[in-house]
C-alpha cells in the first residue's frame, strides 16, 4: 500500500484516539505520494537516501517509474472524455439468487422490506469515471530549475512550469495558485492558500487530483431514510442512510470487522481501469480504534487481494451519505513519521532541483474533500509545497444472510484495482 497510505492510516488512528473526537478524516495517499516523488527526484545525498527509505524506492528512476504508473491512470480518461454523450447500455447480469420461500403473506411482511426490496434494474446511462491528475510549478525568475529536473517534471509529471516573481508579486502568484487549484478540482477546493501562508523564492509546487465515479449499482434515492448513527462517545445522531435490501455485493467478514466493495462504472473506454470504494466496518460500535491499530501494524492487510471477497446476498445494506472536507499540515505529519531532512534549512539537499543556496521545503499543505451519495462519489485533493532558500489473519466465510449496516464509525478507501493505487482513504466518525 505504500508509505503514504501508512501515514494516512496513522493519522486516522491519532484522530480516533483523541477523547471525544468526532472529526472525519480524508487524505489522498496518491496526491501526497506524487508530490513527494516529484520533490525527491530533485534531491541528492542524505536527503535522497531518506526519501528512498521512506518511500520504498531504489533511486530517482524508481520515483519517476512509480509516478509514471500514477499518471497512466489518465490514459483512458482522455479517450473517455472525447465523447460528449453517454451511451445507453444494458444493465449488468447479476448472479442468479438462490430460491427462497417466505410463508408469510405480503401484508404480514415488514413494511421496510416491502419498501426497499430489490427491483429489476432498469436500463441506465453509462457514466465512465472522470479522473484528472495535474501538477504545476511556479518558479522564481532568479532561481532557474536544473535542466534535468525541468525535463523530468514536464515529461514524467506533465507539469506546467511558470516563471514568476515570488518576491514582489507573491500575492498575485498566490491568487493564481488558488485559481488553478479551484479549476483543476472542478470548484471543490477553493482558497487553498489562506492569507497567513507566505510565498517566497525559489519555487512552489502543486498537485491537484479530481475523481468522479458513478456506482455500478446505484442506490434508489427514494429509499434514503434518516437513521441513527452511533458515535464513539456513546451518543447517537440522525443521518440520511442510502438503503438497499436483498442485493448481491462483494463482501467478506473477519474476526472483528467486515469489508464491502462497491465498484464504479467503467465505461467502454476504460477497459484497463477499475475504481472501487471499500468500506471497513468494525463489528463493535466502538471498534474503530482496535481495527485501525491492526491496519497500522500491518498495512498489507489492506491489500484487496487479501480480502477474499465474494458475491454475497446482503439482507440489509445501509451506508450514510457523506459530504466533508479535511485539511492537514502534511509537513508536520511527515516529520512526525521520521521524514525530516527535506524540511531542514541546513540539512536539505535539493541541488538537483534548482540553482539556489540552502533550499528546503518550508511548508507542505494537503486538503481534500469528498461527497458520497446515491449516484456515486465525487472527490478532490490538493498537495502544495512551498520551497524556500535561506537559512496474517484467518479468513472466515460470511455467515448466512449477512448484512452491512454502517451505523457506527468506519474506514473507507477509493482504490484503482489494477494498479492497487489508493486514491483516497479516510474514516467517518460522524457523517453530520
Amino acid at each position: 500500500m505504500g508509505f503514504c497510505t501508512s501515514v494516512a492510516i496513522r493519522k486516522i488512528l491519532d484522530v480516533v484516539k483523541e477523547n471525544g473526537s468526532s472529526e472525519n478524516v480524508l487524505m489522498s495517499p496518491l496526491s501526497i505520494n506524487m508530490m513527494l516523488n516529484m520533490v525527491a527526484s530533485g534531491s541528492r545525498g542524505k536527503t535522497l537516501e531518506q526519501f528512498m527509505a521512506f518511500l520504498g524506492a531504489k533511486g530517482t528512476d524508481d520515483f519517476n517509474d512509480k509516478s509514471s504508473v500514477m499518471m497512466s491512470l489518465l490514459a483512458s480518461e482522455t479517450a473517455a472524455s472525447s465523447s460528449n454523450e453517454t451511451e445507453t447500455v444494458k444493465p449488468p447480469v447479476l448472479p442468479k439468487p438462490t430460491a427462497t420461500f417466505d410463508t408469510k403473506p405480503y401484508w404480514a411482511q415488514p413494511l421496510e422490506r416491502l419498501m426497499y426490496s430489490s427491483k429489476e434494474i432498469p436500463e441506465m446511462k453509462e457514466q465512465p469515471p472522470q479522473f484528472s491528475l495535474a501538477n504545476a510549478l511556479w518558479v522564481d525568475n532568479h532561481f532557474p530549475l536544473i535542466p534535468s529536473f525541468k525535463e523530468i517534471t514536464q515529461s514524467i509529471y506533465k507539469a506546467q512550469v511558470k516563471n514568476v516573481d515570488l518576491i514582489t508579486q507573491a500575492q498575485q502568484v498566490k491568487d493564481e495558485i488558488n485559481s488553478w487549484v479551484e479549476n483543476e478540482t472542478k470548484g471543490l477546493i477553493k482558497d487553498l492558500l489562506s492569507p497567513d501562508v507566505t510565498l517566497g523564492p525559489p519555487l512552489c509546487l502543486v498537485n491537484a487530483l479530481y475523481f468522479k465515479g458513478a456506482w455500478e449499482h446505484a442506490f434508489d434515492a427514494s429509499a434514503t431514510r434518516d437513521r441513527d448513527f452511533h458515535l464513539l462517545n456513546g451518543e447517537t445522531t440522525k443521518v440520511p442512510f442510502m438503503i438497499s435490501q436483498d442485493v448481491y455485493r462483494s463482501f467478506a467478514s473477519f474476526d472483528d470487522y467486515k469489508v464491502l466493495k462497491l465498484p464504479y462504472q467503467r465505461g467502454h473506454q476504460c477497459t484497463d481501469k477499475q475504481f472501487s470504494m471499500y468500506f471497513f466496518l468494525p463489528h463493535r460500535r466502538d471498534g474503530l480504534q482496535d481495527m485501525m491499530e491492526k491496519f497500522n501494524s500491518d498495512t498489507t492487510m489492506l491489500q484487496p487481494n487479501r480480502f477474499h471477497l465474494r458475491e454475497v446476498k446482503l439482507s440489509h445494506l445501509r451506508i450514510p451519505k457523506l459530504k466533508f472536507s479535511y485539511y492537514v499540515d502534511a509537513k508536520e505529519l511527515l516529520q512526525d513519521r521520521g521524514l525530516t531532512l527535506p524540511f531542514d534549512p541546513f540539512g536539505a539537499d535539493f541541488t538537483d532541483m534548482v540553482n539556489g543556496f540552502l533550499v528546503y521545503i518550508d511548508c507542505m499543505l494537503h486538503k481534500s474533500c469528498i461527497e458520497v451519495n446515491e449516484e456515486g462519489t465525487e472527490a478532490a485533493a490538493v498537495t502544495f509545497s512551498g520551497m524556500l532558500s535561506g537559512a496474517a489473519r484467518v479468513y472466515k466465510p460470511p455467515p448466512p444472510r449477512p448484512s452491512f449496516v454502517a451505523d457506527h464509525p468506519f474506514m473507507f478507501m477509493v482504490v484503482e484495482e489494477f494498479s492497487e493505487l489508493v486514491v483516497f482513504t479516510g474514516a467517518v466518525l460522524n457523517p453530520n
Side-chain angles (χ1 to χ4, degrees):
M1 286 282 117
F3 169 69
C4 292
T5 302
S6 300
V7 169
I9 296 302
R10 182 65 202 181
K11 179 60 179 178
I12 295 173
L13 181 58
D14 289 344
V15 172
V16 173
K17 284 182 175 180
E18 296 176 7
N19 293 329
S21 175
S22 61
E23 181 183 25
N24 300 320
V25 182
L26 177 68
M27 297 173 64
S28 173
L30 179 60
S31 176
I32 296 175
N33 205 340
M34 177 69 73
M35 176 60 70
L36 291 179
N37 284 354
M38 189 157 52
V39 296
S41 63
S43 66
R44 295 186 68 178
K46 294 186 180 300
T47 303
L48 175 60
E49 291 174 5
Q50 194 173 85
F51 272 125
M52 290 166 54
F54 276 83
L55 296 175
K58 300 177 181 178
T60 301
D61 290 342
D62 203 6
F63 294 133
N64 297 330
D65 290 344
K66 291 179 179 178
S67 294
S68 294
V69 173
M70 299 178 196
M71 296 300 296
S72 70
L73 294 179
L74 301 173
S76 57
E77 174 62 22
T78 302
S81 61
S82 62
S83 175
N84 294 325
E85 296 184 0
T86 55
E87 180 182 351
T88 301
V89 296
K90 295 292 183 179
V93 178
L94 299 179
K96 181 177 292 185
T98 303
T100 57
F101 300 91
D102 196 328
T103 58
K104 293 182 181 179
Y106 74 91
W107 45 265
Q109 297 179 25
L111 176 60
E112 185 174 84
R113 177 175 178 179
L114 294 175
M115 292 175 63
Y116 306 136
S117 293
S118 300
K119 302 176 182 178
E120 182 178 350
I121 301 176
E123 290 193 358
M124 56 190 175
K125 290 290 186 180
E126 181 184 271
Q127 300 181 61
Q130 299 179 41
F131 182 83
S132 62
L133 185 59
N135 300 296
L137 290 78
W138 281 260
V139 184
D140 187 83
N141 295 320
H142 301 90
F143 296 85
L145 295 178
I146 300 297
S148 59
F149 179 76
K150 184 176 182 179
E151 168 63 22
I152 288 173
T153 58
Q154 293 180 325
S155 61
I156 302 295
Y157 299 89
K158 313 301 180 186
Q160 304 175 43
V161 178
K162 304 181 181 182
N163 295 315
V164 295
D165 187 339
L166 283 169
I167 298 177
T168 63
Q169 298 180 354
Q171 183 57 51
Q172 180 179 330
V173 174
K174 183 186 294 187
D175 293 340
E176 185 177 335
I177 291 175
N178 282 338
S179 178
W180 183 88
V181 166
E182 183 175 349
N183 180 67
E184 293 295 336
T185 61
K186 307 295 189 291
L188 293 185
I189 297 180
K190 302 177 181 180
D191 300 325
L192 171 71
L193 303 181
S194 60
D196 60 336
V197 175
T198 302
L199 303 186
L203 77 156
C204 302
L205 305 92
V206 190
N207 163 270
L209 184 155
Y210 174 82
F211 171 80
K212 185 174 184 179
W215 298 126
E216 186 175 282
H217 304 291
F219 289 86
D220 181 359
S222 66
T224 298
R225 294 289 186 275
D226 285 349
R227 293 286 185 268
D228 284 341
F229 187 91
H230 304 272
L231 307 180
L232 292 178
N233 62 8
E235 299 178 359
T236 60
T237 181
K238 291 285 186 182
V239 302
F241 276 82
M242 305 180 293
I243 301 174
S244 294
Q245 276 197 193
D246 298 328
V247 291
Y248 283 85
R249 297 293 184 265
S250 296
F251 172 88
S253 181
F254 299 97
D255 288 337
D256 43 14
Y257 63 92
K258 304 175 183 179
V259 182
L260 173 75
K261 181 178 82 169
L262 297 183
Y264 298 100
Q265 293 183 34
R266 294 174 66 174
H268 292 317
Q269 305 292 343
C270 298
T271 56
D272 60 343
K273 306 292 183 296
Q274 174 63 68
F275 293 94
S276 302
M277 191 167 187
Y278 289 85
F279 298 85
F280 304 85
L281 180 69
H283 293 320
R284 295 186 293 109
R285 290 177 178 174
D286 61 350
L288 183 61
Q289 180 173 330
D290 289 343
M291 185 181 74
M292 297 309 302
E293 292 277 12
K294 286 189 175 183
F295 294 160
N296 182 58
S297 63
D298 182 8
T299 55
T300 63
M301 296 176 69
L302 293 172
Q303 293 176 350
N305 60 13
R306 300 267 313 261
F307 298 150
H308 303 284
L309 300 181
R310 64 187 183 96
E311 291 291 311
V312 174
K313 187 176 184 180
L314 300 177
S315 60
H316 297 277
L317 172 58
R318 298 181 187 174
I319 297 175
K321 296 178 66 173
L322 306 173
K323 187 176 182 179
F324 66 92
S325 60
Y326 187 74
Y327 173 87
V328 65
D329 184 336
K331 173 184 175 180
E332 180 180 337
L333 194 63
L334 294 169
Q335 285 180 316
D336 289 345
R337 305 300 177 259
L339 188 62
T340 57
L341 281 178
F343 308 99
D344 185 346
F346 301 103
D349 184 349
F350 288 101
T351 50
D352 275 357
M353 177 185 292
V354 63
N355 284 315
F357 181 66
L358 295 179
V359 176
Y360 65 101
I361 301 176
D362 176 60
C363 65
M364 184 175 287
L365 313 175
H366 183 73
K367 187 173 184 179
S368 48
C369 60
I370 191 169
E371 179 175 5
V372 178
N373 57 31
E374 295 88 353
E375 297 179 355
T377 303
E378 184 177 30
V382 177
T383 305
F384 169 87
S385 289
M387 308 201 62
L388 291 183
S389 176
R393 56 205 167 134
V394 178
Y395 171 69
K396 297 196 313 180
R401 302 283 295 166
S403 65
F404 195 94
V405 179
D407 63 354
H408 54 277
F410 59 90
M411 177 193 151
F412 64 87
M413 295 192 311
V414 175
V415 177
E416 197 288 304
E417 302 283 359
F418 294 104
S419 63
E420 295 191 345
L421 290 171
V422 179
V423 184
F424 290 95
T425 187
V428 176
L429 278 66
N430 185 348
N432 284 331

